[in-house]
Amino acid sequence: MTGNQIEALIGMLVTFGLLVLMVLPSVIGIVRDRRIDRQIREAQEDREAGKEPQPQKSSSRSTVPSTATWYADGRRSKKLVSS
C-alpha cells in the first residue's frame, strides 16, 4: 500500500467512527423506548386479563438509617434561640 492509500483508509475509518458516534445515542434511545413500550403493553394486557401485577422485589437488607442520617437529625432538632 502506498502512503496515499493508507491516508485514504485512515480517513475513511475516522469518518465511519464519527458516524457511529453520532448515530449510537439515537439507536440506544430507540431500543430503550421499545423496551418501555413493551413493558407498558404487557402491563395493560395483564390488567385487562385481570391478573395482579407482579410484586416488586424488595431488598433483604434492613432500612436502618446511616450514621450521617442520625447526625443530621440531631442537628435539625436543635432550635436556635435569639436573645
Side-chain angles (χ1 to χ4, degrees), residues 14-76:
V14 168
T15 303
F16 182 71
L18 289 173
L19 177 67
V20 168
L21 285 176
M22 291 176 64
V23 171
L24 189 62
S26 296
V27 171
I28 291 172
I30 291 169
V31 169
R32 182 174 175 264
D33 285 347
R34 291 188 63 168
R35 179 176 45 92
I36 291 171
D37 289 343
R38 186 182 69 241
Q39 290 173 346
I40 291 172
R41 195 176 328 108
E42 288 173 358
Q44 287 174 343
E45 290 171 0
D46 288 347
R47 185 179 297 167
E48 290 172 0
K51 289 190 219 174
E52 290 295 318
Q54 296 178 353
Q56 288 185 333
K57 296 178 183 175
S58 63
S59 174
S60 60
R61 295 176 53 189
S62 65
T63 57
V64 177
S66 68
T67 305
T69 305
W70 288 107
Y71 178 75
D73 286 342
R75 302 268 301 177
R76 264 185 255 141

Side-chain angles (χ1 to χ4, degrees), residues 77-82:
S77 64
K78 295 179 181 176
K79 304 243 185 228
L80 295 175
V81 177
S82 61

